[in-house]
Every structure is written in C-alpha cells, then in structure tokens.
Amino acid sequence: DQQVKQNSPSLSVQEGRISILNCDYTNSMFDYFLWYKKYPAEGPTFLISISSIKDKNEDGRFTVFLNKSAKHLSLHIVPSQPGDSAVYFCAAKAGGTSYGKLTFGQGTILTVHP
Amino acid sequence: GAGVSQSPRYKVAKRGQDVALRCDPISGHVSLFWYQQALGQGPEFLTYFQNEAQLDKSGLPSDRFFAERPEGSVSTLKIQRTQQEDSAVYLCASSYTDSHTNSPLHFGNGTRLTVT
C-alpha cells in the first residue's frame, strides 16, 4: 500500500510563475514531513520540512503547507526558476521512529521553462 | 570527504552472483541509512545504523540482504544470490546526530545495480 502518494507524475511551468507540487498521505501516525529534490544521477537533497503541529513553513522561495484533516501537503515555489527543474519527492516520518526512516512518494518531475 | 561517497557507481551482476556495495558517510556522522529506489519510484527504507549498531532492518526485502558497519563509519550492503528484482539504485544517507534527533539526511549519489 502506498502510504505517501504524489498523483502528478510531472508538472510544467513558466519561469517566474508559481509551481505547486502536491502530496497525499494515508498514515495518521506521520508526524513530520519533508520535501527532497533530486537531479539526474545524483542523490536526493533536503529542501524543506514541516512538523505536524504546524500548517505552514517558509524558506525563501519555498513554502510547504500541511492540511492534516485532509492528509495533504503541498510545496509552493515562487518564483520558479529553470534551475528548479528536477524530481521532487515528498516524504514522511512516523511518530516514535527515526528521523531518517522515511516513507517517500513516487516523485513529481518539475520542468521550468525559460 | 565533502559528501557521502558510494562505490561502485554502477554494478552489473549476473543472476545468482553476490554483490557488495560500499558507503562512506560524511566524517563524524553518527547515523547511516540504506534505501532502495526502483525505476520510477521513490526511495524505500532498507536499514539503519547508529554508530556500529544496526537498530532497524525491517526494510530488508529478504535474508539475501545483509548490511554491516563494523567500526561505525564505512558501511557495506551485501546482496547474496542476486535476482532480477534486485535491480535498483541503492542509496546511502548519513546524518550527524542520533536517529531520534531532527537532522536532515545527506544522500550519496547511489549505486545502480543491474542484474542480468
């Protein structure tokens, strides 16, 4: 069973516009959520995270929103830049487990056109 | 080194062969994690170590998979009698704190294993 789902395999946006990447989860034991970014032939790199006690976390151009009642989180990138083109993974950690034991979604390929 | 280093970068094995994948974490990092990423999927947790202790191996798919970190630094993931379904990218990650303190994972570039 897929506990973390990213239903959009790909997203294409124009440079300067907003990119919105979505993620749904089913496990109510998840208490910490993260977004990772991955370029081809490289490992994922940490982007931003949010605890389940918050509903928003912002870091520069990146904002993550968490809607616990809907079991949904989203990543907003404003403004989008061509260098943001990558695969984005949503990940979650269950309460009481290691911060490194993550459940990942399948990823969304973001393409930002100049 | 500056980051997590994994070797080899690519490995082709014939079905039934044993393979060993190496991970050099960032110096001083306490926790080390192994993930498996199949084509078109997200990474899936395999196992993790805190120093030399293997604290969780619940994600290892079968008893053909074995991981060790004998001196609390370099780790090796061994797969015995490889099968085609073992074909994937194997990612190693480390973090500087113990695994129950919030600290982002630093991933290596992975080893792409192809079993023919």
Side-chain angles (χ1 to χ4, degrees), chain A residues 32 36 38 41-44 46 89 96-102 104-106, chain B residues 9 33 35 37 42-43 45 48 56 58 99-102 104-105 107-109:
Chain A
Y32 193 71
Y36 279 83
K38 185 182 182 304
E42 294 184 9
F46 170 74
F89 291 99
T97 65
S98 162
Y99 273 94
K101 185 176 180 180
L102 303 174
F104 283 83
Q106 313 95 303
Chain B
R9 193 78 178 85
F33 303 82
Y35 280 81
Q37 185 177 13
F45 171 82
Y48 85 86
D56 187 333
S58 62
S99 52
H100 284 271
T101 303
N102 185 5
L105 293 181
F107 281 89
N109 290 340

Side-chain angles (χ1 to χ4, degrees), chain A residues 56-88:
Chain A
K56 177 181 173 181
N57 188 28
E58 198 170 345
D59 183 1
R61 298 186 296 114
F62 303 92
T63 303
V64 56
F65 295 92
L66 175 62
N67 182 333
K68 281 179 62 179
S69 60
K71 292 191 172 70
H72 177 85
L73 77 159
S74 61
L75 174 68
H76 292 210
I77 306 173
V78 182
S80 301
Q81 300 173 353
D84 296 329
S85 298
V87 180
Y88 288 78

Side-chain angles (χ1 to χ4, degrees), chain A residues 4-75:
Chain A
V4 177
K5 293 182 183 179
Q6 294 176 254
N7 291 317
S8 298
S10 62
L11 175 68
S12 182
V13 299
Q14 284 295 125
E15 181 179 5
R17 300 288 196 117
I18 185 171
S19 295
I20 300 176
L21 297 104
N22 293 303
C23 177
D24 297 296
Y25 63 94
T26 57
N27 189 343
S28 57
M29 298 300 292
F30 288 147
D31 66 353
Y32 193 71
F33 303 88
L34 309 91
W35 286 93
Y36 279 83
K37 173 179 175 180
K38 185 182 182 304
Y39 293 117
E42 294 184 9
T45 55
F46 170 74
L47 200 54
I48 193 168
S49 62
I50 187 166
S51 165
S52 59
I53 62 173
K54 295 188 175 182
D55 55 18
K56 177 181 173 181
N57 188 28
E58 198 170 345
D59 183 1
R61 298 186 296 114
F62 303 92
T63 303
V64 56
F65 295 92
L66 175 62
N67 182 333
K68 281 179 62 179
S69 60
K71 292 191 172 70
H72 177 85
L73 77 159
S74 61
L75 174 68

